[in-house]
């Protein structure tokens, strides 16, 4: 436990537990609505925000958040207003974000970019300011999810009936995308762009194997998310590997175990 003598590890652990709760909390709605890939699209679209923030000298946290929200709402708009399937719209969004980021980087030659920590995550990335940023917006996500829990549950399982009952389905759909985008933005600093969506999808996939009810799946998914983050952070510290990779590998191991008879 001597690892907790280091302030950066304390910050990483607090932030890690936060995303361990947030990712499955939002992920269970996305997975059941067949929108698992939207988190991946939003994460990659935020790459443009990272590049823009670094070039302009603005905190990348702010530009990541703005690009994530903008990307999420944009892809949801395209899905609802066009004849494209969700995966096609997400592929367009993903490519757009990467193209924006790469173009900005190529124009701003000579600028000192530290992209690796954003791509793969870093234990050293979370300072006091970023932790406060994550806690504030994480609390916002939790509050919004709890307040609109029943409505989000309704549109997740039966959108047509929800619409017929008078619920503002499109607004609620945008709300789900909004909180998903915030969750992705918070997750990127530890898990990285390339693996942020995995923390939203894999714990839920494992939770669905263990529990049959929605609440049971939610509880199982959050437990798996928190355990995976804590174990992954310790592995990252002691083995000197990227935290994103370590956390996701723990998630995958738990998912594979959930497929066995161990939990049945």
């Amino acid at each position: 436990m001597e690892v907790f003598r280091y302030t950066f590890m304390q910050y990483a652990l607090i932030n890690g537990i936060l995303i361990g709760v947030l990712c499955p909390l939002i992920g269970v709605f996305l997975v059941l609505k067949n929108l698992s890939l939207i988190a991946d699209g939003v994460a990659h679209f935020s790459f443009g925000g990272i590049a823009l923030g670094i070039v302009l000298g603005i905190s990348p946290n702010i530009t990541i958040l703005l690009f994530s929200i903008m990307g999420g709402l944009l892809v949801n708009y395209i899905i609802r207003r066009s004849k494209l399937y969700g995966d096609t719209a997400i592929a367009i969004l993903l490519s757009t974000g990467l193209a924006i980021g790469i173009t900005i980087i190529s124009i701003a030659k000579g600028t000192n970019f530290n992209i690796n920590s954003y791509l793969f995550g870093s234990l050293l990335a979370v300072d006091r300011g970023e932790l406060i940023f994550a806690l504030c917006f994480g609390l916002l996500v939790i509050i919004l999810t709890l307040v609109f829990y029943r409505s989000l549950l309704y549109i997740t399982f039966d959108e047509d009936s929800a619409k017929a009952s008078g619920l503002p389905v499109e607004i609620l759909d945008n709300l789900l995308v909004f909180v998903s985008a915030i969750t992705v933005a918070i997750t990127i600093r530890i898990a990285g762009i390339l693996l942020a969506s995995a923390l939203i999808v894999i714990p839920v996939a494992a939770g669905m194997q263990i529990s049959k009810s929605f609440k049971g799946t939610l509880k199982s998914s959050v437990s798996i998310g928190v355990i995976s983050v804590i174990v992954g952070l310790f592995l990252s510290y002691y083995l000197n590997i990227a935290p994103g990779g370590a956390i996701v590998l723990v998630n995958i191991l738990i998912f594979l175990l959930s497929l066995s008879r161990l939990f049945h």
Side-chain angles (χ1 to χ4, degrees), residues 2-264:
E2 70 275 3
V3 66
F4 291 114
R5 292 180 301 174
Y6 302 107
T7 304
F8 76 87
M9 195 64 185
Q10 295 171 12
Y11 291 160
L13 185 63
I14 295 171
N15 197 10
I17 292 173
L18 175 66
I19 65 175
V21 173
L22 288 180
C23 288
L25 177 64
I26 300 304
V28 70
F29 293 103
L30 294 179
V31 170
L32 291 173
K33 280 177 68 67
N34 294 319
L35 289 174
S36 303
L37 286 177
I38 199 168
D40 197 40
V42 168
H44 283 76
F45 188 75
S46 69
F47 181 72
I50 293 169
L52 184 64
I54 294 174
V55 168
L56 297 180
I58 303 171
S59 170
N61 286 331
I62 296 173
T63 51
I64 288 172
L65 182 63
L66 292 176
F67 265 65
S68 295
I69 294 172
M70 181 172 62
L73 295 177
L74 178 61
V75 74
N76 197 42
Y77 178 83
I78 293 173
I79 292 172
R80 286 190 167 274
R81 294 290 186 270
S82 72
K83 296 179 180 180
L84 298 176
Y85 289 107
D87 56 347
T88 305
I90 291 167
I92 293 171
L93 179 78
L94 187 153
S95 303
T96 302
L98 291 177
I100 291 172
I102 292 170
T103 301
I104 292 173
I105 291 173
S106 65
I107 292 173
K109 293 177 180 177
T111 305
N112 184 24
F113 287 95
N114 182 22
I115 295 296
N116 284 345
S117 66
Y118 291 98
L119 291 177
F120 309 113
S122 172
L123 287 177
L124 298 174
V126 184
D127 57 25
R128 183 182 178 85
E130 291 188 337
L131 178 61
I132 293 173
F133 179 88
L135 288 173
C136 289
F137 281 98
L139 182 61
L140 175 63
V141 169
I142 292 172
I143 291 172
L144 288 173
T145 305
L146 292 177
V147 169
F148 294 97
Y149 175 80
R150 290 185 179 276
S151 298
L152 291 173
L153 189 61
Y154 200 176
I155 69 167
T156 296
F157 284 102
D158 197 341
E159 188 171 303
D160 292 332
S161 294
K163 188 178 295 182
S165 68
L167 280 177
V169 171
E170 190 165 343
I171 293 175
L172 289 169
D173 219 25
N174 281 323
L175 174 66
L176 178 59
V177 171
F178 176 76
V179 293
S180 301
I182 294 176
T183 302
V184 169
I186 295 172
T187 304
I188 283 174
R189 290 305 272 143
I190 281 188
I193 288 173
L194 301 179
L195 295 174
S197 63
L199 301 190
I200 291 176
V201 176
I202 299 176
V204 178
M208 291 174 69
Q209 310 307 313
I210 298 170
S211 304
K212 301 304 179 184
S213 67
F214 181 85
K215 286 187 177 180
T217 298
L218 183 57
K219 291 176 183 178
S220 299
S221 301
V222 170
S223 300
I224 292 167
V226 172
I227 292 170
S228 299
V229 168
I230 293 174
V231 174
L233 288 177
F234 274 94
L235 290 175
S236 174
Y237 175 79
Y238 286 110
L239 301 180
N240 193 27
I241 56 179
I247 294 169
V248 172
L249 285 175
V250 175
N251 264 304
I252 292 172
L253 177 60
I254 295 175
F255 172 70
L256 293 176
L257 288 174
S258 73
L259 296 176
S260 69
R261 294 184 179 180
L262 183 65
F263 292 102
H264 298 282

